[in-house]
Amino acid sequence: MPWPLLPPLLLLLLLAASEAQTTRPCFPGCQCEVETFGLFDSFSLTRVDCSGLGPHIVPVPIPLDTTHLDLSSNRLETVNESVLAGPGYTTLAGLDLSHNLLSGLSPTAFSRLRYLESLDLSHNGLAALPAEAFASSPLSDVNLSHNRLRELSVSAFAAHSQGRAMHVDLSHNWLHRLAPHPAHAGLPAPTIQSLNLAWNRLRAVPDLRDLPLRYLSLDGNPLAAIGPGAFAGLAGLTHLSLGGLQGLPQLAPHGFRELRGLQVLDLSGNPKLTWAGAEVFSGLDSLQELDLSGTALVPLPEKLLFHLPALQSVSVGQGVWCRRLVREGTYPRQPGSTPKVALHCVDTGEPAAKGPDIL
């Protein structure tokens, strides 16, 4: 309906209730973008971008209604409580400190940020984290990728998350050990549901049993072996990625047996990975997707589907993808007979499909 045909009062209400986005005067060099909401723009939020200006920018004054502050690429060497203090900081929900020169953090650097949910510290030189560095904030998203962390405790991520899921990215560090959360720590276990540990120096699967993990990536680590007990306490994990492991990883029989709820397993990019028997996948009763592309785990063993009753598809590389196929046989089914189960493999690079491999 054209705007002129709308009743004047309805038109006024629509315009007042819509979200508006404007700019406002800001600290020299920064950009302040304001979003207004509600009737007659009664509520506003401001995003402040002070990236790429240099270390002289801090401490920078920001509007009282600032929800996100970008201090990335400023060659900052230190961040402490005084840098993140003043009007506007106490209500920050997002803070970007990526691409700086931070080698350490003050233990109280974020102590006044009681509403901080998203923190980006990626692409710095952090070698350690102070104990309880994030304990004062309700963080749900922490990015620490591309730093120099060597050893870390899971307890570092114990925050006032109020039970909300936390996503932690620790990829591309130098981690050789991730200490578990001690039962006597006095703080509840972190609510980490998504943990990215890709491309570190872990030679064994860390003890993560106290975490409510759903997603875990260990891509690119020099894991020596994966055997029984490696994933103890992670029955709720639904997605596990073990792609591109360094060295010659060994998959022992029953190595995944604790992962009863796992739905997706990625073993791609491991050309030296060979079979140790179909019992490797024993216990994966909920697994639906399996990625074996770029591995030596072909041809598929005959007993694969016996150990993976819920499996729906397998990627075996070189454009070949297999899906589960059930052949009912004669109908009506004879008493005592069972349908045949097969993996029907298709080469996506060729117009014609390959015949099914009956398992």
Side-chain angles (χ1 to χ4, degrees), residues 262-277:
L262 196 68
Q263 298 178 16
V264 179
L265 176 59
D266 186 350
L267 291 168
S268 63
N270 290 297
K272 298 180 180 179
L273 200 61
T274 56
W275 285 112

Side-chain angles (χ1 to χ4, degrees), residues 54-108:
H56 68 279
I57 192 66
V58 296
V60 57
I62 58 177
L64 290 175
D65 61 354
T66 300
T67 58
H68 186 275
L69 175 61
D70 188 345
L71 292 173
S72 64
S73 304
N74 279 315
R75 303 190 301 279
L76 300 178
E77 297 183 3
T78 183
V79 172
N80 52 40
E81 190 175 354
S82 63
V83 170
L84 302 174
Y89 282 87
T90 54
T91 56
L92 272 182
L95 177 61
D96 189 344
L97 290 165
S98 65
H99 294 274
N100 279 294
L101 304 176
L102 301 176
S103 58
L105 295 172
S106 166
T108 58

Side-chain angles (χ1 to χ4, degrees), residues 134-140 155-163 166 187-191:
F134 309 129
S136 301
S137 304
L139 286 167
S140 60
S155 300
F157 301 99
H160 293 291
S161 59
Q162 300 174 342
M166 179 181 287
L187 287 172
T191 57

Side-chain angles (χ1 to χ4, degrees), residues 114-135:
R114 300 303 176 91
Y115 297 94
L116 190 66
E117 297 179 359
S118 176
L119 177 61
D120 192 343
L121 288 162
S122 64
H123 295 273
N124 277 284
L126 296 174
L129 287 179
E132 301 182 14
F134 309 129

